[in-house]
Amino acid sequence: MTKRDNFCGRTRREFLWQTGGGFGAAAIASMLGSDGFFDRATASESDSPFVNPLAAKPPHFAPKAKSVIFLFMYGGPSHIDTFDYKPNMIGMDGKTVDVKTFGRGGHKSGGRIVEPRWKFKQHGECGKWVSSLFPNVANHVDDIAFLHSMTADSPIHGSAMLMMNSGRILSGNPAMGSWLTYGLGSVNENLPGFVVMLDPSGGPISGAKNWSSGYMPATYQGNVFRAEGAPILDLAPPSDLPEGVQRQLIDSIQKANNRHLISRESNSDLSSRIASYELAYKMQAAAPEAVDLSSEDAKTIAMYGADQEQTRDFGKRCIIARRLVERGVRFIQLYSGGAHNDHNWDAHGNLEDNHNKHAGATDKPVAALLADLKQRGMLDETLVVWGGEFGRQPTAEYAEGSGRDHNAYGFTMFMAGGGIKGGISHGTTDELGSQAAENPLHVKNLHATILHQMGLDPNHLSYFYGGLEQKLVGVEHVEPIHEIIA
C-alpha cells in the first residue's frame, strides 16, 4: 500500500470527494489541513527534480557512531555456555528442577539440568567471566558491554528473527538497516547503505524478509554481498560492450525515466528503480574493490584467521565488513550459521559439537574485528553488535543428550564501540539462566540504543504508512539502554 492509497498525496478536494463529502469528512479535512497534512501530501506532486533517496541526511543530534556491524549468530547461542556465568549450576548435571520454559517443544514446567559444558575464567581489568568457547573475544572484554537480560516476544526462529531484525514478529516491516539508511542516507554513493553477508551454508529462516525494506521504498532494502567471486551477481557489464556505451545508454534511459517520474513522484517503486540503475553502474567498480582483499597484508589476514580453514569464511567477511565501514556503508550484517539444524547455532541435539563448531569459526574473527577497528581508530565510530535471535534453556530438551531448546525469556547479547561503555555487564538472568531477573531488556531497547548511538531519536524516527507514523521501536515510548552509553 502506498501513501496515495491512504489519502496521503491527495488535495483537500480529492479527499472530500473520495470520502463522500458530508460534515464529518469536512471536519476531518479541516483538522488534517490545520496539521499540514495536505501540504505534505501535495509537495510530492510538484515538478521538483529527482532526488537520490540515499543522499546523506543530517542526524537528529550529534551521533556517537557512524556505522553498525551486526554479527548475527543465527540459531540462538547458549548464553549460559558463553558469557552468562552460572556457578551454582556446577554439579547439578542431570538433576530435575521445576523451571518454566517455553521453546520449540512448547510450555514445560520442569526438566533435566544440563550444566555448562565449558569452563569459565575471569578476563580483563573488569574480571568478566567468559567460557573457553571464546578465548579470543575474552581478551577484549574491557571494550564490551554485555547485556545479560535480553528478552524477545517469540521462541520460534522465524518470528524471533524478524523481531530482532525489524522490531516485529510479523513480516512486511523494514529491517533495522533500512531504518538507518532511510533516516541517515549514505555517505558513499557508489555502494549500498545496507549490506548483508550470509553464511555459505545458506540464508536464515524467513530469508530476505530479514533485510527487506517492508513498506518503505525498495531503495532502503539490504543488498546481499558475496565474499567469494563477484560480490553481486549479474553486476558486471557484457564483456563485448565498447567503452563508454553503457554510460550513454544509462543516461538516455534515466532522462526518459525522470520525465516519466515527474507526474508519478509518489510511486516509490519507480523512484527506487531509477536510483538503482545509477547505483548499479557505480557499484561495478566500487563493489569488487570493496571485497578485494589483495591489498590486505598477510598479518591482517592471519589475525582474522582468513588463512585457516575453520575461520576463513567468517574471517574474510569480517575484513570486508571493516572495509565497507571505511567506505561509508551505514549498516553491515554478517550471519554466522544458515540453513537448518547444526548448520547454525540451533543446538537441539549435541550442544558440544554444535557450539564448538560455530564458536570455533567465529571467535578469532570477531576478536580480530574489534582489535583491528580499535588499532585503526575506527572503533569509537563503529558500533559492533553480537547475538542471536534468542538464547537457550538450562534444561535438556530430550530425555538424553545435552541439547537445549530455545529461550526468549532471558539471553545475552553484547555491544562494543560507537560510544558504548566497555568492561560492564548489565542485567542478569536467574541462577539457572532461565529468564531475565534484574533490569530486563527487550529487543526494542536494543534497537533504541542502536538508533540513538547513530544520532537518531528512536521515538521520533518515523515513516507514514497505513494511516500511522510507523517506528522501528513501535508506538510506545522506548528508552535506549542509558547504563551502557558512555
Side-chain angles (χ1 to χ4, degrees):
M1 184 183 295
T2 65
K3 292 183 179 181
R4 184 172 294 275
D5 294 321
N6 245 349
F7 300 121
C8 187
R10 288 161 167 69
T11 63
R12 186 190 304 268
R13 180 179 296 176
E14 289 172 330
F15 178 88
L16 290 171
W17 179 77
Q18 291 184 355
T19 55
F23 292 111
I28 293 173
S30 178
M31 289 188 291
L32 291 174
S34 65
D35 189 42
F37 178 84
F38 295 108
D39 293 335
R40 296 199 307 268
T42 55
S44 66
E45 299 195 3
S46 67
D47 291 338
S48 58
F50 172 74
V51 177
N52 180 8
L54 283 179
K57 304 173 187 176
H60 296 160
F61 47 81
K64 295 290 184 68
K66 295 182 179 179
S67 299
V68 178
I69 299 176
F70 194 150
L71 307 171
F72 204 116
M73 308 294 113
Y74 165 50
S78 172
H79 51 293
I80 58 178
D81 292 288
T82 53
F83 303 111
D84 193 3
Y85 182 43
K86 298 300 177 186
N88 291 338
M89 291 183 68
I90 305 301
M92 294 183 65
D93 203 49
K95 293 183 178 179
T96 300
V97 294
D98 294 328
V99 55
K100 292 182 179 180
T101 59
F102 180 31
R104 183 181 69 169
H107 290 276
K108 295 180 181 180
S109 58
R112 171 176 58 87
I113 286 287
V114 175
E115 70 178 55
R117 290 305 198 240
W118 292 268
K119 300 294 184 181
F120 279 71
K121 288 175 56 179
Q122 287 182 284
H123 297 269
E125 293 183 7
C126 64
K128 175 64 183 173
W129 290 89
V130 179
S131 89
S132 58
L133 272 174
F134 287 95
N136 292 289
V137 171
N139 294 325
H140 301 276
V141 293
D142 289 330
D143 293 319
I144 295 173
F146 293 91
L147 309 175
H148 290 306
S149 53
M150 290 297 302
T151 65
D153 291 348
S154 172
I156 306 302
H157 290 295
S159 51
M161 289 281 294
L162 291 175
M163 165 156 279
M164 188 60 71
N165 281 314
S166 71
R168 309 285 179 86
I169 61 173
L170 300 176
S171 60
N173 297 284
M176 182 164 36
S178 300
W179 279 103
L180 285 173
T181 50
Y182 160 67
L184 295 171
S186 176
V187 295
N188 188 331
E189 295 187 354
N190 301 326
L191 289 169
F194 176 13
V195 170
V196 177
M197 287 185 279
L198 303 176
D199 191 275
S201 64
I205 196 169
S206 298
K209 294 178 182 179
N210 289 292
W211 50 91
S212 165
S213 58
Y215 44 74
M216 289 183 183
T219 301
Y220 303 117
Q221 71 184 4
N223 289 260
V224 177
F225 268 36
R226 303 191 309 161
E228 298 286 347
I232 301 176
L233 295 176
D234 303 320
L235 181 66
S239 58
D240 58 348
L241 192 67
E243 184 177 357
V245 172
Q246 185 186 35
R247 180 70 265 180
Q248 295 174 11
L249 288 172
I250 292 175
D251 287 343
S252 176
I253 293 171
Q254 295 294 65
K255 287 179 181 179
N257 285 338
N258 283 319
R259 290 195 300 269
H260 187 65
L261 180 65
I262 287 176
S263 61
R264 301 170 178 84
E265 286 192 5
S266 62
N267 188 329
S268 66
D269 289 340
L270 180 57
S271 60
S272 296
R273 179 71 63 85
I274 292 174
S276 71
Y277 280 121
E278 188 64 28
L279 178 60
Y281 176 77
K282 292 177 178 179
M283 283 198 298
Q284 287 178 350
E289 186 276 334
V291 303
D292 182 6
L293 305 189
S294 62
S295 62
E296 300 288 334
D297 58 43
K299 182 179 178 181
T300 300
I301 296 294
M303 180 173 69
Y304 280 87
D307 58 349
Q308 301 170 14
E309 183 62 30
Q310 184 179 28
T311 51
R312 177 176 291 113
D313 173 73
F314 203 76
K316 288 183 64 175
R317 287 190 280 139
C318 281
I319 298 175
I320 293 171
R322 188 216 76 215
R323 292 172 63 88
L324 291 174
V325 167
E326 289 176 315
R327 287 154 179 77
V329 176
R330 293 287 188 193
F331 191 90
I332 305 111
Q333 188 172 52
L334 279 67
Y335 281 91
S336 163
H340 300 287
N341 302 322
D342 285 329
H343 286 298
N344 57 62
W345 293 79
D346 196 21
H348 289 281
N350 189 312
L351 177 71
E352 293 91 331
D353 286 352
N354 178 285
H355 275 33
N356 280 330
K357 173 184 176 181
H358 295 293
T362 59
D363 171 51
K364 187 172 184 177
V366 172
L369 177 63
L370 295 175
D372 200 14
L373 289 171
K374 190 172 184 178
Q375 72 182 12
R376 294 171 187 265
M378 297 170 58
L379 186 59
D380 289 342
E381 295 183 340
T382 306
L383 181 59
V384 179
V385 182
W386 180 98
E389 62 269 38
F390 41 56
R392 308 205 80 80
Q393 296 173 2
T395 50
E397 183 173 4
Y398 305 120
E400 297 181 358
S402 57
R404 304 185 189 277
D405 203 350
H406 310 162
N407 183 0
Y409 288 154
F411 57 99
T412 293
M413 300 185 70
F414 74 65
M415 305 176 77
I420 296 296
K421 294 178 183 177
I424 65 172
S425 295
H426 181 71
T428 65
T429 51
D430 59 30
E431 63 180 8
L432 297 179
S434 65
Q435 60 182 355
E438 179 184 6
N439 296 320
L441 300 169
H442 192 273
V443 170
K444 293 181 180 180
N445 297 114
L446 178 79
H447 290 166
T449 305
I450 293 172
L451 293 180
H452 180 273
Q453 297 307 95
M454 292 288 285
L456 296 171
D457 186 333
N459 297 293
H460 285 88
L461 178 65
S462 64
Y463 186 90
F464 188 81
Y465 170 75
L468 295 173
E469 293 292 344
Q470 306 283 352
K471 302 170 187 175
L472 173 63
V473 297
V475 296
E476 296 183 357
H477 185 88
V478 178
E479 285 293 321
I481 310 169
H482 295 290
E483 294 85 351
I484 69 170
I485 297 175

